[in-house]
Amino acid sequence: GQRCSGLPQDLILSVIMVESGGNPNAVNINGVRGFQPKCAESALKIIYHYNNANVDIGLMQINWKTWGPVYGIKPAQLLDPYYNVCLGAKILRNYLEQHKWTWRGVGRYNAVSQDKQERYAKKVAAMYSRIKKIKREG
């Protein structure tokens, strides 16, 4: 992610932990529920069971309905951890640039409405602080 985007590794890791808890096969069917399958095959079965649903996929929970058409990608590609983090970090960087490198850009990665952006940014900021503290104490 860092090589793809130039973003700090700890920020990318913070988003990953908030989004998927670190599960590369995490799937969230918006309006239904989140799933934590153990393998990519199970994740794909869930995705295709809900057929064209508004779905977030993988480590950085990339929304396939939004970004699939933009990048011409299939859900299976988003289950590749390297690809997912690389694309997610690029999307995050784009929002950070749009919002002048503020926490609002982090919030925009997850939400459109300002109140949801603020809640999300606070979660990521708290995770970022925890990661930094663990590294200091490490």
Side-chain angles (χ1 to χ4, degrees), residues 100-121:
K100 298 179 178 42
W101 295 92
T102 61
W103 282 104
R104 181 124 189 246
V106 173
R108 181 62 189 89
Y109 179 81
N110 178 266
V112 177
S113 70
Q114 196 164 349
D115 60 325
K116 286 183 180 175
Q117 287 176 6
E118 286 173 14
R119 276 199 304 273
Y120 180 79

Side-chain angles (χ1 to χ4, degrees), residues 48-64:
Y48 289 117
H49 172 77
Y50 288 95
N51 193 26
N52 295 326
N54 187 358
V55 60
D56 305 315
I57 301 172
L59 285 169
M60 292 191 75
Q61 290 291 281
I62 296 171
N63 186 276
W64 185 69

Side-chain angles (χ1 to χ4, degrees), residues 48-100:
Y48 289 117
H49 172 77
Y50 288 95
N51 193 26
N52 295 326
N54 187 358
V55 60
D56 305 315
I57 301 172
L59 285 169
M60 292 191 75
Q61 290 291 281
I62 296 171
N63 186 276
W64 185 69
K65 200 170 196 174
T66 300
W67 299 108
V70 173
Y71 292 100
I73 51 177
K74 295 188 175 3
Q77 289 170 276
L78 292 176
L79 289 166
D80 175 294
Y82 179 81
Y83 186 87
N84 187 287
V85 173
C86 193
L87 180 57
K90 286 178 182 175
I91 293 166
L92 177 59
R93 182 184 178 96
N94 184 38
Y95 285 130
L96 282 165
E97 287 171 351
Q98 284 176 23
H99 294 280
K100 298 179 178 42

